[in-house]
Amino acid sequence: MRMALATPPVLGERRRLFVAAAPGFGKSWLVRSWLADQRVTWAGAGFDPEAVEDWLVVDDLPALDVAAARTLAGRIDALPPAVRVILVSRAPWPGRLPADSAALDAHDLALTEPAVLRLLSAEYGVDDPDVAGAVHRLTAGWPSLVHLAGRHLRGGDLASLCAPGTALDAFVAEQVVEHLPVPSRRLLRRLAELGTACEDLAGPRAHRTLRLLAHTGVVVPAAAPAGTYGMAPMPHWLRPVPALAAVVTRREPLSEPTHLRLHTDTAHWYTERRAWGPAARSRWSAGDRAGTSALLREHGTAIVAAGGAEQVIEAYTGLADTDRELRLLCGEALAVTGRLDEALAELTPLLAGRSTVEAGLAWRLGMVYYARAEHRAAFEALERGRIDGADTADEAFLLAWTATVHWSVGNGEACQEHAHRALHAASAAGDPRALAAAHVALALRAALAGDRAGNVEQYTKALAHAEAARDAVQAARIRANLVSQLLEEARYPEALAGSAEAVAAAEAAGNATALSVALVNRAEALARLGRLDEAERCGERALAISQRAGSGKAAYALTVLGDVRARRGQRSMARAAYEEAVRAADADGVRQCFVPALAGLARLVAADDPAAARVHAEKAVSHGSGPLATRALLAVGWVAVAAGDRAAATEAADRAEHSARLHRDRAGLAEALELRAGATDRPSARRSALVEAARTWRTTGARLDADRVAHQLGLLPGASAEERLAARVARGALEAAGVALGTGDVAVPPANLAIRVLGRFEVILNEVPVPSSAWRSRKARDLLRILVARRGRRVAREELAALLWPDDDDDLRVAHRLSVALSTLRSVLDPERHLPADHYVFAAPAALAADTAHLDIDLDTFLGEAEVGHRLHEQGQPAEAREVLAAAERRYAGDVFEDEPYDDWAVPVREEARATYLRVTRMLARLAAERNATDEALGYLLKILARDPYDESCHREVTELLELAGRHGEAKRARARYEAAMRELGRPAVAAG
């Protein structure tokens, strides 16, 4: 069984470790794996002190009371000081642990979601991250439950995982529930019914039992229940492991009186805390239909706002007296959860053919049509709403939603007018929810005008009002929109962090529209930061949400998916996504997405269909104003580059750069600089633009974009050695991320001649190794080896002659031989004679040199990567340093000319490369140790010892790492190898510390 903890915790001076968790957490298995190489006594609580060796493991320790625990602790204290003790139990230690003890509970042993994915993939062939995520949610990482799920998925699905007769059902019933004490079992049944609870809700008499269930992993930390947004924070919200709760609820249902009493008490508890949604749900579960209806009528809007839309829908569905007021409420709840067709089915009959309707009905209908991206219908619905000047909250919402729809179609003046009217009405009404909506409308107007500061200011005010009103639905919308603003300013790391909060907020609020927006934003941030797989999954999830809702806002998700697939070179899939986005956005004027989709499509087809690309780009410009103009102008420029129209491309670059600076769009500015590089044929201007673009991309954190520009810089004629190295590193990173190279590159193609000297010597021409027979002369081959070993430095002809023909004193004959060898060498490297004679090997009257600018030499790349990696580490960038150094370590296939080790002239460069490799590998080991990646660190250290078995400091590091990890048997063997190596050198081994 694969576990969360491969090694035990560091005990330090403490003598005992207490491990407590429910059955199936692999406690005993884990301890056995830790102590495999130790002298261990396995015993029960009545162990014989005389028989104990280095370690005592008391396994399957029963639940103890305080007196029994004190007695056991005394017996352990009487053991010799060198003995260490591990106690393994299904129940926590009663009271406080002895002072010299460490403890692990179920939460330490549970598998994380990535670990669940690795386990399911390795042992059960389940590679889908979404399936692994669902298994983790169902099992909370309980190891045995994860294994049972993996076996079940070989022939079943997750929906039937907990069904009667399954292995998981039997395990939970027979191994877990049956062995619980009666109070724990009783509380578990109540918790399974409630779903989520805290100590205060469970009641004071249940506190100790609840903590016991938490320590053993039967209940796990949970988010606050739906509909409790803004409620005074409760410590330690908990829920039973969902798979466990499913089995318990079915096998041991509560009696009817107990069920009713539980929900009645729960409803009262929530009502006291003004958590109306959970209170309504509990009243409904207690059979109090009248009380439920009264709560909905009095607090229904607050319930929806606090994240309880599903609770409203559930209660409404079971009520018989669903009048106009309740239908209005249900329509709003359905709209929030993304069930837009059902919302219209509830709300539309309330129009009853009237030309004007109350503001509350009009804004809710407008909200539904806006969510569907049907703007004409939204305007029609909103215009039917009566505004009597009463300045009610409903009138403020009507005006705010009208402003929002005007923003979506790009009508700035109308947006501004209605937003200000909404603020006036909301202020007069004194309603914080309405004030939040009004400030959101003003924020949208500021965004449309390119006023970044105003946008943030208005959203900040809106969020404060939403939180004061306990309005989770609007708060989720605001958080998602704030992330959009961060993306527009190319603050990608901040946007990624904010998107996680926005997704969680939208999920908690049940706000489907905000969730889709948050997921699209997260996908864009992930893509910019180089995490394309995750970006695609987020985009697909957002698309599924929009499509289920029947919303034209699916265009947003389609556009981000088009962007990701275009980066990967998946041109057909990207084109399909862009074209579908254009159709969805154009159907009713989703302008905020229409322009980016058209721009993406234009750039994608620029080379294959220039006429269509030009039409798409010009249409994007005609619809693009404000911040959207930058992306449209960039598309125009790249289409012109593809068509060879440098003047038009330069003009578009100028306009795009101006637009980007105006709107504080750093990504747009960097792309405008790249466009400028692509539009010019002057190498100096191209280099200048790319250097500034690379610097700009790096400040945004957009790793793939920075790598793309670094790759182009290194391919420019006259690129420095450092730029060529950076280009090779960037190319590797881009390929590792799955990015297609070549699209949009403005530089010359790379050299087609590669020389490999690390390990065996090999020349590769146009990706094909040059056969030995092609050389015709061993001396021509040796000449190249010597020149490569000198790494571009000139080598005097006299020195070459002495190295190649040491026994020939005839200077004329040797000079002729050298000329023949050089001619042969050039014919091998350029057999078609397409290149100038000095392209690969420079020849002067007195010396020869390899032109490393035209050669891809693995030694130069390796040494350069090592230098860059160490520089990054010195600059405080450990993650980047690790990436570059790991690439260098992988590149080192062996010592220089390892297949021909006896040439004295090769010794200096061989020793230099070897020393560099050892330094790189040692640095990687230290970086891994700093991250507590013990196995990775050990792997690097053992590679060092494989090349230098007498490296004393390396031997000591291996031993210390193993000791710290608690792998004492391995540490003992490592110590023996160290001492043996030192004996061979006649040196004493340093005493273990």
Side-chain angles (χ1 to χ4, degrees):
M1 180 183 290
R2 295 170 183 261
M3 303 302 300
L5 295 173
T7 58
V10 179
L11 295 179
E13 297 300 317
R14 290 170 291 190
R15 294 183 56 204
R16 64 191 105 193
L17 173 66
F18 187 75
V19 184
F25 275 89
K27 302 179 292 297
S28 299
W29 180 94
L30 192 59
V31 172
R32 287 185 187 278
S33 70
W34 291 343
L35 306 180
D37 299 313
Q38 303 298 309
R39 295 192 303 168
V40 183
T41 301
W42 290 80
F47 60 87
D48 178 4
E50 299 297 327
V52 174
E53 299 185 273
D54 295 344
W55 287 83
L56 168 64
V57 178
V58 179
D59 197 11
D60 202 18
L61 185 67
L64 303 174
D65 58 25
V66 174
R70 189 179 300 118
T71 299
L72 177 58
R75 298 189 68 217
I76 292 172
D77 289 340
L79 292 171
V83 174
R84 292 193 172 192
V85 180
I86 297 181
L87 307 172
V88 181
S89 178
R90 296 182 177 187
W93 185 268
R96 181 174 296 178
L97 279 167
D100 62 346
S101 301
L104 294 176
D105 65 16
H107 303 300
D108 299 302
L109 305 182
L111 300 171
T112 62
E113 186 171 335
V116 169
L117 175 58
R118 290 194 296 270
L119 186 152
L120 292 177
S121 175
E123 300 196 19
Y124 303 102
V126 177
D127 297 317
D128 188 336
D130 293 333
V131 173
V135 169
H136 184 263
R137 286 190 293 275
L138 276 169
T139 65
W142 193 320
S144 284
L145 299 188
V146 174
H147 280 279
L148 290 169
R151 293 180 195 128
H152 181 82
L153 288 171
R154 286 172 170 167
D157 57 21
L158 282 177
S160 60
L161 176 61
C162 306
T166 62
L168 188 144
D169 172 65
F171 175 82
V172 168
E174 298 167 11
Q175 300 298 321
V176 181
V177 178
E178 186 175 323
H179 297 280
L180 288 175
V182 172
S184 296
R185 197 162 175 170
R186 185 182 301 122
L187 179 59
L188 178 59
R189 291 162 67 190
R190 294 171 58 206
L191 294 174
E193 175 65 27
L194 293 178
T196 305
C198 61
E199 286 189 350
D200 196 13
L201 176 55
R205 284 189 287 183
H207 286 188
R208 184 177 180 279
T209 303
L210 188 61
R211 290 169 187 168
L212 183 150
L213 293 175
H215 281 299
T216 54
V218 175
V219 300
V220 292
T228 59
Y229 184 80
M231 192 175 91
M234 293 287 119
H236 311 305
W237 284 104
L238 298 166
R239 63 184 174 89
V241 172
L244 193 69
V247 173
V248 169
T249 301
R250 186 186 65 255
R251 282 179 171 261
E252 300 187 4
L254 296 173
S255 67
E256 186 63 18
T258 303
H259 177 274
L260 295 177
R261 186 168 58 253
L262 172 64
H263 284 290
T264 299
D265 292 345
T266 302
H268 179 70
W269 188 87
Y270 278 119
T271 300
E272 284 184 335
R273 288 154 182 79
R274 300 175 60 82
W276 308 118
R281 187 170 200 169
S282 293
R283 285 191 184 184
W284 176 261
S285 298
D288 183 3
R289 302 292 187 266
T292 303
S293 179
L295 259 182
L296 292 183
R297 293 176 192 282
E298 186 175 359
H299 302 292
T301 298
I303 293 173
V304 173
E310 288 290 355
Q311 295 162 340
V312 167
I313 296 166
E314 181 183 354
Y316 173 86
T317 304
L319 291 175
D321 54 338
T322 53
D323 58 13
R324 183 182 185 84
E325 182 182 1
L326 289 179
R327 293 191 73 174
L328 201 65
L329 176 64
C330 183
E332 181 183 352
L334 288 165
V336 166
T337 59
R339 294 152 69 174
L340 303 180
D341 288 341
E342 295 175 64
L344 288 177
E346 289 291 339
L347 296 175
T348 303
L350 300 180
L351 293 171
R354 294 179 294 161
S355 58
T356 62
V357 296
E358 65 272 26
L361 173 58
W363 75 255
R364 287 175 172 88
L365 275 168
M367 176 182 69
V368 174
Y369 284 119
Y370 170 77
R372 289 169 64 94
E374 296 176 7
H375 295 105
R376 283 187 290 272
F379 280 127
E380 290 172 4
L382 292 164
E383 287 167 0
R384 294 174 76 170
R386 288 192 302 272
I387 297 181
D388 301 324
D391 292 334
T392 63
D394 276 336
E395 288 186 1
F397 273 110
L398 176 60
L399 291 164
W401 278 109
T402 304
T404 297
V405 182
H406 279 297
W407 162 81
S408 189
V409 298
N411 191 339
E413 290 184 6
C415 175
Q416 180 170 316
E417 177 197 348
H418 286 86
H420 282 297
R421 290 176 63 193
L423 181 61
H424 180 274
S427 298
D431 185 294
R433 290 189 65 232
L435 282 166
H439 283 291
V440 167
L442 287 168
L444 294 173
R445 169 54 191 157
L448 200 59
D451 180 3
R452 300 280 189 199
N455 179 262
V456 173
E457 178 187 1
Q458 294 299 331
Y459 274 135
T460 301
K461 292 179 179 179
L463 187 58
H465 286 301
E467 291 178 340
R470 296 174 60 172
D471 190 342
V473 171
Q474 286 203 88
R477 179 189 181 199
I478 294 162
R479 292 184 192 282
N481 289 355
L482 281 169
V483 176
S484 300
Q485 189 264 344
L486 291 172
L487 288 169
E488 289 168 4
E489 293 186 4
R491 293 159 62 182
Y492 300 123
E494 294 172 69
L496 183 63
S499 71
E501 296 177 4
V503 168
E507 289 174 333
N511 188 338
T513 301
L515 179 57
S516 179
V517 172
L519 286 166
V520 167
N521 287 341
R522 185 164 180 79
E524 183 177 346
L526 286 164
R528 287 294 194 182
L529 293 171
R531 295 157 63 177
L532 299 184
D533 289 340
E534 295 172 77
E536 189 161 20
R537 286 198 294 273
C538 279
E540 288 172 345
R541 186 182 171 198
L543 179 61
I545 291 169
S546 295
Q547 288 177 333
R548 279 198 301 271
S551 172
K553 292 183 182 292
Y556 289 98
L558 287 163
T559 301
V560 79
L561 286 171
D563 291 343
V564 171
R565 290 162 183 169
R567 278 178 179 262
R568 287 181 150 165
Q570 299 169 328
R571 297 178 58 80
S572 296
M573 294 179 68
R575 182 167 187 168
Y578 283 137
E579 289 176 342
E580 190 177 349
V582 168
R583 287 193 296 272
D586 194 30
D588 204 12
V590 187
R591 178 177 164 279
Q592 306 301 322
C593 188
F594 185 54
V595 172
L598 276 172
L601 181 59
R603 293 180 65 166
L604 185 72
V605 304
D608 302 330
D609 193 347
R614 188 164 51 252
V615 170
H616 295 321
E618 290 173 353
K619 193 172 184 179
V621 169
S622 69
H623 286 77
S625 60
L628 292 174
T630 307
R631 189 158 179 176
L633 290 166
L634 288 167
V636 167
W638 285 113
V639 170
V641 168
D645 188 346
R646 294 186 183 275
T650 300
E651 180 188 357
D654 290 340
R655 294 174 62 194
E657 184 174 341
H658 174 75
S659 175
R661 292 186 190 282
L662 181 65
H663 297 108
R664 287 166 47 186
D665 180 357
R666 291 187 295 169
L669 178 60
E671 290 193 54
L673 290 164
E674 288 188 70
L675 175 58
R676 187 178 303 286
T680 183
D681 57 358
R682 293 190 298 119
S684 61
R686 176 177 291 180
R687 173 180 299 282
S688 176
L690 287 177
V691 166
E692 187 176 353
R695 189 181 303 119
T696 303
W697 280 127
R698 282 195 294 271
T699 63
T700 69
R703 184 171 64 85
L704 297 183
D705 296 289
D707 284 341
R708 182 186 64 246
V709 178
H711 180 244
Q712 295 177 29
L713 269 170
L715 300 181
L716 289 174
S720 67
E722 186 168 352
E723 286 173 333
R724 291 197 302 275
L725 167 64
R728 293 189 185 112
V729 173
R731 182 184 183 93
L734 291 167
E735 289 174 343
V739 174
L741 294 169
T743 56
D745 285 352
V746 297
V748 297
N752 61 355
L753 184 66
I755 298 177
R756 303 290 174 254
V757 302
L758 295 173
R760 60 190 297 267
F761 175 69
E762 190 173 37
V763 177
I764 302 171
L765 183 62
N766 294 322
E767 301 185 359
V768 178
V770 173
S772 301
S773 58
W775 286 97
R776 302 192 306 277
S777 166
R778 168 77 187 197
K779 297 301 182 181
R781 186 172 178 273
D782 287 344
L783 173 60
L784 178 60
R785 293 170 65 232
I786 294 170
L787 294 176
V788 169
R790 296 300 172 89
R791 303 186 57 212
R793 295 188 294 273
R794 295 190 180 196
V795 187
R797 288 177 180 265
E798 290 82 357
E799 182 181 356
L800 289 170
L803 292 173
L804 293 168
W805 297 279
D807 299 326
D808 194 333
D809 296 330
D810 189 328
D811 293 341
L812 289 176
R813 184 166 59 245
V814 169
H816 174 69
R817 287 180 172 181
L818 182 58
S819 295
V820 172
L822 175 60
S823 177
T824 302
L825 170 59
R826 285 172 166 169
S827 68
V828 170
L829 301 183
D830 182 24
E832 303 297 328
R833 301 297 177 101
H834 290 317
L835 300 169
D838 285 353
H839 186 75
Y840 292 125
V841 179
F842 169 80
L848 304 180
D851 189 343
T852 57
H854 296 138
L855 297 170
D856 175 8
I857 303 173
D858 61 350
L859 173 63
D860 290 347
T861 303
F862 164 73
L863 294 172
E865 285 173 335
E867 180 183 347
V868 170
H870 281 282
R871 189 186 313 140
L872 288 169
H873 184 261
E874 290 170 359
Q875 293 170 352
Q877 302 179 63
E880 294 81 359
R882 187 169 65 248
E883 183 176 344
V884 175
L885 291 171
E889 193 279 329
R890 289 192 299 270
R891 194 178 303 281
Y892 196 83
D895 290 341
V896 174
F897 303 127
E898 195 170 68
D899 54 339
E900 300 179 61
Y902 303 112
D903 295 307
D904 292 340
W905 52 262
V907 171
V909 71
R910 180 180 296 128
E911 290 301 318
E912 178 189 4
R914 195 166 186 268
T916 300
Y917 172 77
L918 295 175
R919 190 171 73 252
V920 163
T921 311
R922 190 179 300 277
M923 177 64 74
L924 285 167
R926 288 175 181 168
L927 289 171
E930 289 170 5
R931 298 181 355 258
N932 294 319
T934 302
D935 287 336
E936 182 183 333
L938 288 169
Y940 285 126
L941 292 172
L942 292 175
K943 286 183 177 183
I944 294 173
L945 291 176
R947 293 190 176 275
D948 183 1
Y950 302 105
D951 187 320
E952 181 175 6
S953 64
C954 189
H955 275 294
R956 291 168 59 187
E957 285 182 58
V958 169
T959 305
E960 289 168 8
L961 266 178
L962 290 168
E963 287 284 3
L964 284 172
R967 293 155 68 169
H968 303 295
E970 294 177 67
K972 185 176 181 180
R973 291 192 292 272
R975 175 77 186 178
R977 289 193 298 271
Y978 165 42
E979 292 171 348
M982 293 303 99
R983 278 197 301 272
E984 289 183 37
L985 295 177
R987 291 173 52 85
V990 176

